[in-house]
Amino acid sequence: MGRRGIRYSLEDKLYYIHLVEQGQTVSGIERQYGVKQEQVNQWIDRFQTAGIDGLKRRKVRQYSSEFKQKVVDLYLAGNTSYPQLAKQFDISNPGVICQWVNLYTSGKSLKTTGRSKTMNTGRKTTQKERIEVAQWAIANSLDYNAAVQQFQVSYGQVYAWVKKFKQGGPEALQDRRGKDKSGKPHLTEAENQELKVKALEARIAYLSKENEVLKKMKELERKDAPQRLNTAQSKRSPKKP
């Protein structure tokens, strides 16, 4: 059952939940259908809590900078994960928390500046553009929402291009007539090299952000270490009669 449209339909969600109920693992579903494990687990949790109503599309929420900071601090303090925090605070997509953490660790503001418009209908692209978007999304751990904002294309386009690229490589991203809309059936060697460099740069940038998060976590651990030591010592100290 393939994924059609920009978002997963109610029928799609029920289908994947049914697969799990029949004994298929969420990791197997991710390998076969490309649906992230945490996404399937989230649907299962919502279905068990609220039934079909829990799977229906919800209104887009806006979060205050104070709320974002609270969630980011909890993540950086450790002993939790994006999916766990998303479940705890009823945030629809764990990737949203990842974006907040990346903003914070790169020194950017968590202030709400208004909801950015997401393209629903997509736009015309060349084969080179489609390859660049697919490579960027893969390099950034399949963060489709971030790719939408980065390249101003639709969610459905990103999803389809990544899937085609994984299955058939760059050639799979030619248009339906078997050639690129720009009139060139194949990319030049220079274009291929440029795309490879961009893919590498995207991966390096993503890993750099992840490294900043780890540094921040270690910094917080160092600050908390004396307090934890004092607490442990006080618990071991004999009580006065």
Side-chain angles (χ1 to χ4, degrees):
M1 181 176 179
R3 182 185 188 281
R4 297 180 180 180
I6 296 173
R7 291 208 181 2
Y8 290 98
S9 67
L10 178 60
E11 291 74 17
D12 284 338
K13 297 172 185 178
L14 289 170
Y15 175 77
Y16 295 122
I17 291 173
H18 177 70
L19 290 181
V20 174
E21 291 175 341
Q22 294 300 309
Q24 189 160 345
T25 63
V26 290
S27 59
I29 290 174
E30 181 173 9
R31 286 194 301 271
Q32 185 174 354
Y33 299 98
V35 187
K36 288 187 176 181
Q37 297 181 42
E38 56 265 30
Q39 181 70 83
V40 178
N41 285 328
Q42 187 180 72
W43 294 335
I44 293 172
D45 288 338
R46 289 179 180 172
F47 184 67
Q48 291 175 343
T49 302
I52 291 180
D53 286 341
L55 299 176
K56 292 179 179 178
R57 190 176 302 174
R58 300 186 295 175
K59 292 181 179 179
V60 177
R61 293 170 56 191
Q62 285 195 338
Y63 305 95
S64 67
S65 55
E66 292 78 12
F67 176 80
K68 295 176 184 177
Q69 187 65 60
K70 176 183 178 181
V71 176
V72 169
D73 289 342
L74 286 172
Y75 177 78
L76 293 179
N79 299 320
T80 189
S81 65
Y82 296 138
Q84 288 173 339
L85 288 170
K87 182 179 180 181
Q88 180 180 346
F89 293 101
D90 194 28
I91 298 171
S92 60
N93 185 356
V96 172
I97 302 174
C98 178
Q99 291 175 5
W100 296 345
V101 171
N102 287 337
L103 283 172
Y104 179 73
T105 55
S106 61
K108 296 179 182 178
S109 174
L110 290 174
K111 269 189 176 180
T112 302
T113 57
R115 186 177 50 170
S116 57
K117 293 182 180 179
T118 300
M119 294 186 66
N120 292 322
T121 57
R123 63 177 177 84
K124 291 183 178 180
T125 55
T126 64
Q127 182 191 15
K128 181 182 175 183
E129 287 177 309
R130 294 191 286 274
I131 294 171
E132 182 179 354
V133 173
Q135 290 184 155
W136 190 94
I138 292 170
N140 284 268
S141 293
L142 301 181
D143 190 341
Y144 299 120
N145 288 315
V148 168
Q149 300 301 323
Q150 177 78 7
F151 297 98
Q152 293 300 295
V153 292
S154 76
Y155 190 105
Q157 285 179 313
V158 179
Y159 184 90
W161 297 339
V162 168
K163 184 176 181 180
K164 288 180 180 179
F165 185 83
K166 283 185 170 182
Q167 292 176 343
E171 296 302 318
L173 293 178
Q174 291 183 4
D175 69 11
R176 294 178 180 177
R177 293 169 295 177
K179 61 181 181 179
D180 192 65
K181 294 183 188 298
S182 64
K184 295 182 291 182
H186 300 289
L187 297 176
T188 65
E189 184 61 33
E191 287 174 327
N192 280 320
Q193 188 61 34
E194 180 186 351
L195 287 169
K196 288 179 182 178
V197 171
K198 286 185 176 181
L200 182 59
E201 289 174 344
R203 188 59 182 168
I204 290 173
Y206 174 78
L207 293 175
S208 177
K209 288 179 182 178
E210 290 292 300
N211 189 43
E212 287 299 320
V213 172
L214 291 174
K215 286 182 179 178
K216 192 70 178 179
M217 290 176 65
K218 289 181 179 179
E219 180 184 341
L220 290 170
E221 287 174 358
R222 284 196 298 270
K223 290 180 180 178
D224 291 341
Q227 183 178 353
R228 289 199 300 268
L229 179 61
N230 292 335
T231 301
Q233 289 176 340
S234 64
K235 288 181 178 179
R236 290 197 298 268
S237 299
K239 295 182 179 179
K240 294 183 180 181

